[in-house]
Amino acid sequence: MKNVKRTYLIILIVFINLFISCDCLQNGSGIIVDEETKKPINKVEIKEVGKDFIQKSDENGYFEIRHITGGLFSCPDMTIIVSKKEYQTDTIIIKNGEDKLIKLYKEK
């Protein structure tokens, strides 16, 4: 009887560890363009809310975010802040796996 209880305890511990460590690969990408000219904007700063890492769009306005995050039943949406001198800063929500076209407006 002692061995049966021990087996159940081991199974329970393994199950709890698997349940707690559920992670998802969160990814999102996009192209940032000037709202008026529709041309890509390079070197736009992209910062995900709650993270310390800042990246910049490339010469084609392209950016990509990939990392592992906790998500018990699904990956949460990402909230990013995009900013560049001479443009209005904007906050964007990206769903996991989504490719987004982001239009930035020039400051007036």
Side-chain angles (χ1 to χ4, degrees):
M1 191 60 128
K2 218 176 197 185
N3 285 338
V4 172
K5 286 183 181 181
R6 182 177 171 166
T7 302
Y8 283 129
L9 181 60
I10 291 172
I11 291 171
L12 180 63
I13 290 171
V14 169
F15 179 74
I16 289 172
N17 282 329
L18 287 173
F19 188 72
I20 290 173
S21 67
C22 289
D23 289 330
C24 68
L25 175 60
Q26 194 172 37
N27 62 46
S29 60
I31 295 177
I32 303 172
V33 298
D34 182 290
E35 190 278 329
E36 186 177 323
T37 66
K38 309 299 187 239
K39 291 184 179 179
I41 308 172
N42 70 340
K43 297 184 181 174
V44 176
E45 288 189 351
I46 298 116
K47 180 183 184 330
E48 187 176 354
V49 173
K51 308 280 189 220
D52 292 331
F53 183 72
I54 295 175
Q55 64 175 312
K56 293 188 178 187
S57 60
D58 68 12
E59 64 276 357
N60 298 313
Y62 180 78
F63 71 92
E64 186 172 26
I65 300 171
R66 288 180 180 263
H67 56 80
I68 294 176
T69 186
L72 192 53
F73 297 108
S74 66
C75 288
D77 295 342
M78 292 179 274
T79 302
I80 61 169
I81 299 170
V82 291
S83 61
K84 182 171 174 131
K85 189 176 181 181
E86 298 179 7
Y87 286 91
Q88 295 177 7
T89 299
D90 201 359
T91 302
I92 309 290
I93 294 175
I94 300 178
K95 296 188 181 304
N96 191 45
E98 181 178 30
D99 294 316
K100 195 96 164 170
L101 176 64
I102 300 170
K103 298 175 185 176
L104 287 186
Y105 293 84
K106 288 219 177 194
E107 288 185 341
K108 296 180 182 184

